[in-house]
Amino acid sequence: MHVQALPLQSRDGHAFELRLVRPDAPRAGLLFLPALGVPARKYDAFALALAARGFAVAVHEWRGIGASALRASRGQDWGYAELLGQDIPASLAALDPSLRWCFGGHSLGGQFAAMAAALAPERCAGLVLAATGVPDRRTFDGYKRWGISAFARVLPPLTRAVGHYPGEALGFAGREAGGLMRDWAATVLSGRYLAYGQREPLDEALARLRVPALALHFSHDWFVPEASLQGLLGKLGPGSRAIERFDDARLGAHADHFKWMRAAEPVAGAVSDWWSRLSS
């Protein structure tokens, strides 16, 4: 099996790629959304490990990252509205309609997977949430709460002054659109997902979402404390919930926010076993 890069275009003209791996006779599919600032190609090991277990895997490329034709600047800005209303629908339209597709994502991508499922519930057979939770400052303790709160308050004036978010200089994520980071900061401070160009706040749509969800949690992931994970699961409507927890021994690597991407086999196995239980 190999990874295929499928060129796509959003309704507003944004050109990007969807990375696809398809085994013979797949039993299901997973549309996977990366973490903030992470190119889609970084998930090739995970996609191939899942494909070996019978999954078709499609990894979305974020606007402004990797194979995307755009780069954030003062004249090129976007936020959650463009990602939810333009780019993710273009990837959804490219999926094989004969398969049952789960939506999944890593970190910010997991939040978007849940929101995308709430906007297209008929397309989503389940959620796979890897190292993700709602970034509500109240779910962090001590100095971490103070730090994320201060960071979220600085982001609006910083991104407006610079014209984008200079993640390379700050050591968190990459060059990101100012609007994207301001939307993220608003969730940090309020704990809520807003409408982002839709008819209602996404919190309200999430509360109606009835799909099974698998959460993958890593013992050294300080970006996603337990309360953050539970906060995201708590926004979802009725459905079965499973949490697979990985320490260093189970993962075979340091079980933090990012190392699992290289140590993909145990994680792919957990996803495959979860789907087998749901399908039995």
mmCIF file of all heavy atoms in Angstrom, residues 92 99-101 103 116-125 209-211:
data_model
loop_
_atom_site.group_PDB
_atom_site.id
_atom_site.type_symbol
_atom_site.label_atom_id
_atom_site.label_comp_id
_atom_site.label_asym_id
_atom_site.label_seq_id
_atom_site.Cartn_x
_atom_site.Cartn_y
_atom_site.Cartn_z
ATOM 1 N N LEU A 92 -14.732 15.965 2.595
ATOM 2 C CA LEU A 92 -15.867 15.043 2.726
ATOM 3 C C LEU A 92 -16.424 14.638 1.370
ATOM 4 O O LEU A 92 -16.775 13.478 1.139
ATOM 5 C CB LEU A 92 -16.973 15.700 3.550
ATOM 6 C CG LEU A 92 -16.855 15.645 5.066
ATOM 7 C CD1 LEU A 92 -17.954 16.480 5.711
ATOM 8 C CD2 LEU A 92 -16.928 14.213 5.551
ATOM 9 N N LEU A 99 -18.451 3.540 1.708
ATOM 10 C CA LEU A 99 -17.899 3.146 3.000
ATOM 11 C C LEU A 99 -18.563 3.898 4.144
ATOM 12 O O LEU A 99 -19.065 5.014 3.968
ATOM 13 C CB LEU A 99 -16.394 3.446 3.049
ATOM 14 C CG LEU A 99 -15.483 2.639 2.138
ATOM 15 C CD1 LEU A 99 -14.039 3.115 2.295
ATOM 16 C CD2 LEU A 99 -15.583 1.149 2.441
ATOM 17 N N ARG A 100 -18.553 3.281 5.319
ATOM 18 C CA ARG A 100 -18.925 3.976 6.551
ATOM 19 C C ARG A 100 -17.680 4.705 7.043
ATOM 20 O O ARG A 100 -16.638 4.091 7.260
ATOM 21 C CB ARG A 100 -19.422 2.998 7.605
ATOM 22 C CG ARG A 100 -20.702 2.284 7.240
ATOM 23 C CD ARG A 100 -21.095 1.323 8.353
ATOM 24 N NE ARG A 100 -21.509 2.022 9.561
ATOM 25 C CZ ARG A 100 -21.640 1.442 10.756
ATOM 26 N NH1 ARG A 100 -21.346 0.156 10.896
ATOM 27 N NH2 ARG A 100 -22.037 2.143 11.803
ATOM 28 N N TRP A 101 -17.795 6.003 7.236
ATOM 29 C CA TRP A 101 -16.649 6.820 7.612
ATOM 30 C C TRP A 101 -16.769 7.310 9.042
ATOM 31 O O TRP A 101 -17.800 7.867 9.438
ATOM 32 C CB TRP A 101 -16.506 8.029 6.681
ATOM 33 C CG TRP A 101 -16.014 7.652 5.327
ATOM 34 C CD1 TRP A 101 -16.760 7.269 4.252
ATOM 35 C CD2 TRP A 101 -14.648 7.598 4.911
ATOM 36 N NE1 TRP A 101 -15.944 6.978 3.187
ATOM 37 C CE2 TRP A 101 -14.645 7.172 3.555
ATOM 38 C CE3 TRP A 101 -13.438 7.879 5.536
ATOM 39 C CZ2 TRP A 101 -13.468 7.020 2.828
ATOM 40 C CZ3 TRP A 101 -12.258 7.724 4.821
ATOM 41 C CH2 TRP A 101 -12.277 7.298 3.475
ATOM 42 N N PHE A 103 -15.016 10.060 11.709
ATOM 43 C CA PHE A 103 -14.231 11.284 11.690
ATOM 44 C C PHE A 103 -13.285 11.234 12.883
ATOM 45 O O PHE A 103 -13.677 10.799 13.971
ATOM 46 C CB PHE A 103 -15.115 12.518 11.827
ATOM 47 C CG PHE A 103 -16.074 12.768 10.691
ATOM 48 C CD1 PHE A 103 -16.170 11.912 9.611
ATOM 49 C CD2 PHE A 103 -16.903 13.881 10.711
ATOM 50 C CE1 PHE A 103 -17.071 12.146 8.576
ATOM 51 C CE2 PHE A 103 -17.796 14.135 9.687
ATOM 52 C CZ PHE A 103 -17.881 13.260 8.615
ATOM 53 N N ALA A 116 -17.251 18.980 12.819
ATOM 54 C CA ALA A 116 -17.638 18.570 11.471
ATOM 55 C C ALA A 116 -18.701 17.481 11.521
ATOM 56 O O ALA A 116 -19.641 17.472 10.705
ATOM 57 C CB ALA A 116 -16.413 18.087 10.696
ATOM 58 N N ALA A 117 -18.582 16.562 12.471
ATOM 59 C CA ALA A 117 -19.599 15.522 12.623
ATOM 60 C C ALA A 117 -20.939 16.126 13.038
ATOM 61 O O ALA A 117 -21.999 15.687 12.572
ATOM 62 C CB ALA A 117 -19.136 14.494 13.654
ATOM 63 N N ALA A 118 -20.898 17.139 13.900
ATOM 64 C CA ALA A 118 -22.143 17.787 14.314
ATOM 65 C C ALA A 118 -22.826 18.495 13.151
ATOM 66 O O ALA A 118 -24.060 18.596 13.119
ATOM 67 C CB ALA A 118 -21.855 18.776 15.440
ATOM 68 N N LEU A 119 -22.033 18.964 12.178
ATOM 69 C CA LEU A 119 -22.599 19.636 11.007
ATOM 70 C C LEU A 119 -23.041 18.663 9.923
ATOM 71 O O LEU A 119 -23.852 19.020 9.064
ATOM 72 C CB LEU A 119 -21.566 20.610 10.427
ATOM 73 C CG LEU A 119 -21.221 21.807 11.309
ATOM 74 C CD1 LEU A 119 -20.093 22.620 10.691
ATOM 75 C CD2 LEU A 119 -22.446 22.683 11.539
ATOM 76 N N ALA A 120 -22.511 17.447 9.934
ATOM 77 C CA ALA A 120 -22.885 16.431 8.936
ATOM 78 C C ALA A 120 -23.051 15.086 9.632
ATOM 79 O O ALA A 120 -22.330 14.131 9.344
ATOM 80 C CB ALA A 120 -21.832 16.351 7.837
ATOM 81 N N PRO A 121 -23.982 14.971 10.577
ATOM 82 C CA PRO A 121 -24.086 13.743 11.378
ATOM 83 C C PRO A 121 -24.398 12.498 10.552
ATOM 84 O O PRO A 121 -24.023 11.391 10.943
ATOM 85 C CB PRO A 121 -25.214 14.061 12.368
ATOM 86 C CG PRO A 121 -25.993 15.175 11.733
ATOM 87 C CD PRO A 121 -24.994 15.971 10.956
ATOM 88 N N GLU A 122 -25.066 12.690 9.423
ATOM 89 C CA GLU A 122 -25.399 11.536 8.583
ATOM 90 C C GLU A 122 -24.173 10.931 7.916
ATOM 91 O O GLU A 122 -24.219 9.796 7.442
ATOM 92 C CB GLU A 122 -26.423 11.947 7.519
ATOM 93 C CG GLU A 122 -25.884 12.822 6.395
ATOM 94 C CD GLU A 122 -25.613 14.279 6.791
ATOM 95 O OE1 GLU A 122 -25.963 14.661 7.918
ATOM 96 O OE2 GLU A 122 -25.067 15.017 5.943
ATOM 97 N N ARG A 123 -23.063 11.650 7.895
ATOM 98 C CA ARG A 123 -21.845 11.175 7.256
ATOM 99 C C ARG A 123 -20.893 10.479 8.224
ATOM 100 O O ARG A 123 -19.915 9.867 7.806
ATOM 101 C CB ARG A 123 -21.078 12.346 6.607
ATOM 102 C CG ARG A 123 -21.835 13.130 5.548
ATOM 103 C CD ARG A 123 -22.074 12.305 4.292
ATOM 104 N NE ARG A 123 -20.840 11.749 3.751
ATOM 105 C CZ ARG A 123 -20.022 12.402 2.918
ATOM 106 N NH1 ARG A 123 -20.303 13.647 2.570
ATOM 107 N NH2 ARG A 123 -18.946 11.811 2.435
ATOM 108 N N CYS A 124 -21.145 10.598 9.526
ATOM 109 C CA CYS A 124 -20.179 10.168 10.539
ATOM 110 C C CYS A 124 -20.686 8.953 11.302
ATOM 111 O O CYS A 124 -21.722 9.010 11.961
ATOM 112 C CB CYS A 124 -19.892 11.316 11.501
ATOM 113 S SG CYS A 124 -18.701 10.904 12.786
ATOM 114 N N ALA A 125 -19.917 7.857 11.243
ATOM 115 C CA ALA A 125 -20.272 6.626 11.955
ATOM 116 C C ALA A 125 -19.662 6.559 13.346
ATOM 117 O O ALA A 125 -20.013 5.679 14.135
ATOM 118 C CB ALA A 125 -19.825 5.414 11.135
ATOM 119 N N LEU A 209 -25.427 15.533 18.708
ATOM 120 C CA LEU A 209 -24.679 14.523 17.971
ATOM 121 C C LEU A 209 -24.740 13.189 18.700
ATOM 122 O O LEU A 209 -24.318 13.085 19.854
ATOM 123 C CB LEU A 209 -23.230 14.971 17.798
ATOM 124 C CG LEU A 209 -22.315 14.035 17.008
ATOM 125 C CD1 LEU A 209 -22.799 13.883 15.568
ATOM 126 C CD2 LEU A 209 -20.883 14.557 17.047
ATOM 127 N N ARG A 210 -25.228 12.156 18.029
ATOM 128 C CA ARG A 210 -25.383 10.822 18.625
ATOM 129 C C ARG A 210 -24.504 9.827 17.872
ATOM 130 O O ARG A 210 -24.972 9.153 16.952
ATOM 131 C CB ARG A 210 -26.848 10.379 18.562
ATOM 132 C CG ARG A 210 -27.803 11.250 19.369
ATOM 133 C CD ARG A 210 -29.251 10.889 19.081
ATOM 134 N NE ARG A 210 -30.171 11.634 19.922
ATOM 135 C CZ ARG A 210 -30.701 11.164 21.054
ATOM 136 N NH1 ARG A 210 -30.402 9.934 21.453
ATOM 137 N NH2 ARG A 210 -31.518 11.902 21.765
ATOM 138 N N VAL A 211 -23.247 9.766 18.243
ATOM 139 C CA VAL A 211 -22.330 8.807 17.625
ATOM 140 C C VAL A 211 -21.434 8.216 18.706
ATOM 141 O O VAL A 211 -21.168 8.860 19.724
ATOM 142 C CB VAL A 211 -21.446 9.458 16.531
ATOM 143 C CG1 VAL A 211 -22.285 9.932 15.349
ATOM 144 C CG2 VAL A 211 -20.596 10.575 17.100
#
